[in-house]
Amino acid sequence: MPKKRASASSTKELPPCHGPKLHVFQHQNSPIKWMERLDIDREEGEETEGYVFRAKIRTREYAIKVFKFYNPLSSKYFWGPLLGEDTALETAAYYTDPFFAECRAYGRIKEATKKRSLKAQIAIPCHGFIFLKENDERTLSKLGIDFGIARIDSDFQQNTEGGWRVRAIVKDLAPQDTGVDKKSVGKILRGIRALNKHKIYNMDIHLDNFRNGQLVDFGSSWTEPHLLLDAQHDHAARNSKLSDLEKFDEMIEDEEIQTDVRARPNPKYCRKLRAWG
Ligand SMILES: Nc1ncnc2c1ncn2[C@@H]1O[C@H](COP(=O)(O)OP(=O)(O)OP(=O)(O)O)[C@@H](O)[C@H]1O
Ligand SMILES: [Mg+2]
């Protein structure tokens, strides 16, 4: 990894753009004891945003999601036509990098739970972001972790907040069970609707992103204000905002959960009502 590292220790909140922000983890300077990977059920060759570890900091265990470096040029085919081809790479990154997506979603969740307008249960609690120290990077590299440095654009990376330092988000450690079943789906759907009401769109509702009936992954989320949502035509923006409800129903069908709970009108009910009418 290149030697030059920006001083990131003074960064208190991210991302540095309009909208919600995530705070730095309060024990950012404490040593981390890295334990096993939690994201092991992946399919062979699956492209991922990063790695999730069980880890101990001071006396408590957490789940730490370590993000790969992000090159906004890799998604320019998508944001270029919407935001404009000459949009600054850092601006594009604030709205497309999975790390910033999580920062923005958790920033809004924190604001809303503080104001008591959102109950915290739908998302696994988050404790803030950290920049890994060199010894942590060395430890993880020895475990074969690839931070994706080969894919980055050095000029862009050099000038980002944190520079060459690897970014991570600290969350509560959840049990490995998804907790999605016929008893919990009603509450989960209410939680998703509440997130949407607070203008957080997870955009990746599926079974593997739940633990203990709570969402663990906001890496694909869009939280308003969001430049991509603003740039979409009305119809596309409406579809983006409905994505969580559609994916929730797909999850119920795909996982064959025995329930009538649906986010959108349930075709089975509609048929029954027509038959009764
Ligand atoms: N807080 C947590 N506690 C326990 N396990 C977790 C936690 N966060 C994530 N995991 C495990 O790690 C897996 C990957 O986490 P996550 O979905 O956040 O990463 P990802 O890189 O976005 O994955 P993908 O892109 O495949 O969705 C989860 O499916 C879950 O099994
Ligand atoms: Mg995931």
Side-chain angles (χ1 to χ4, degrees):
M1 188 166 293
K3 275 277 160 270
K4 193 165 186 323
R5 297 161 71 93
S7 161
S9 52
S10 58
T11 309
K12 298 277 179 266
E13 287 186 328
L14 284 173
C17 66
H18 183 47
K21 295 168 187 23
L22 183 65
H23 59 91
V24 69
F25 177 56
Q26 63 165 329
H27 304 306
Q28 59 166 330
N29 295 319
S30 299
I32 302 173
K33 182 176 175 218
W34 297 92
M35 291 182 263
E36 80 275 12
R37 288 263 302 270
L38 296 169
D39 57 324
I40 38 170
D41 297 340
R42 301 195 187 270
E43 303 206 352
E44 185 95 16
E46 196 184 334
E47 185 56 31
T48 62
E49 301 163 355
Y51 310 89
V52 184
F53 285 88
R54 185 160 76 95
K56 192 166 182 182
I57 303 173
R58 293 155 77 105
T59 55
R60 185 170 166 186
E61 287 190 7
Y62 298 92
I64 303 186
K65 183 166 178 179
V66 176
F67 288 78
K68 290 180 184 169
F69 286 106
Y70 180 73
N71 181 354
L73 287 172
S74 68
S75 55
K76 190 166 181 183
Y77 69 91
F78 174 62
W79 58 258
L82 283 167
L83 303 185
E85 303 293 332
D86 55 355
T87 301
L89 290 184
E90 57 181 344
T91 304
Y94 296 147
Y95 297 94
T96 53
D97 178 349
F99 170 73
F100 289 133
E102 293 222 348
C103 289
R104 292 167 53 82
Y106 272 116
R108 173 63 48 74
I109 289 170
K110 178 135 199 256
E111 282 165 16
T113 22
K114 210 168 150 195
K115 282 196 244 155
R116 294 177 190 273
S117 60
L118 180 71
K119 288 193 192 138
Q121 293 101 316
I122 183 60
I124 279 291
C126 170
H127 300 275
F129 72 84
I130 49 173
F131 289 110
L132 297 194
K133 293 188 271 310
E134 279 186 70
N135 64 324
D136 294 314
E137 282 177 23
R138 269 197 303 274
T139 305
L140 297 187
S141 294
K142 276 190 206 147
L143 296 174
I145 294 301
D146 171 10
F147 299 115
I149 200 103
R151 299 181 316 178
I152 56 129
D153 176 290
S154 354
D155 288 340
F156 162 74
Q157 196 60 44
Q158 190 73 40
N159 293 310
T160 57
E161 202 135 350
W164 299 101
R165 294 183 66 175
V166 174
R167 305 143 323 154
I169 292 185
V170 183
K171 300 178 192 171
D172 262 12
L173 180 64
Q176 280 309 286
D177 191 83
T178 67
V180 180
D181 55 32
K182 63 179 182 190
K183 278 200 207 130
S184 63
V185 285
K187 188 172 170 199
I188 289 173
L189 178 57
R190 285 196 296 281
I192 292 172
R193 287 194 197 281
L195 288 176
N196 290 174
K197 197 170 144 223
H198 286 86
K199 301 188 184 296
I200 304 164
Y201 307 97
N202 178 276
M203 309 293 249
D204 197 18
I205 299 288
H206 65 88
L207 198 69
D208 286 344
N209 283 336
F210 285 91
R211 287 289 171 274
N212 205 27
Q214 295 176 291
L215 278 164
V216 287
D217 184 3
F218 284 87
S220 303
S221 63
W222 286 9
T223 302
E224 291 187 83
H226 200 288
L227 288 191
L228 288 165
L229 209 46
D230 295 346
Q232 283 187 326
H233 290 297
D234 287 355
H235 181 68
R238 220 177 10 255
N239 283 344
S240 298
K241 292 181 185 184
L242 283 174
S243 150
D244 289 352
L245 300 183
E246 265 168 26
K247 295 235 174 87
F248 172 86
D249 284 352
E250 274 171 35
M251 175 174 77
I252 299 284
E253 300 285 341
D254 293 349
E255 306 303 329
E256 298 181 6
I257 298 170
Q258 298 304 307
T259 177
D260 288 330
V261 173
R262 293 290 185 285
R264 322 281 315 275
N266 184 342
K268 246 196 278 172
Y269 270 150
C270 295
R271 268 200 305 276
K272 265 190 207 164
L273 284 175
R274 269 199 302 273
W276 289 338

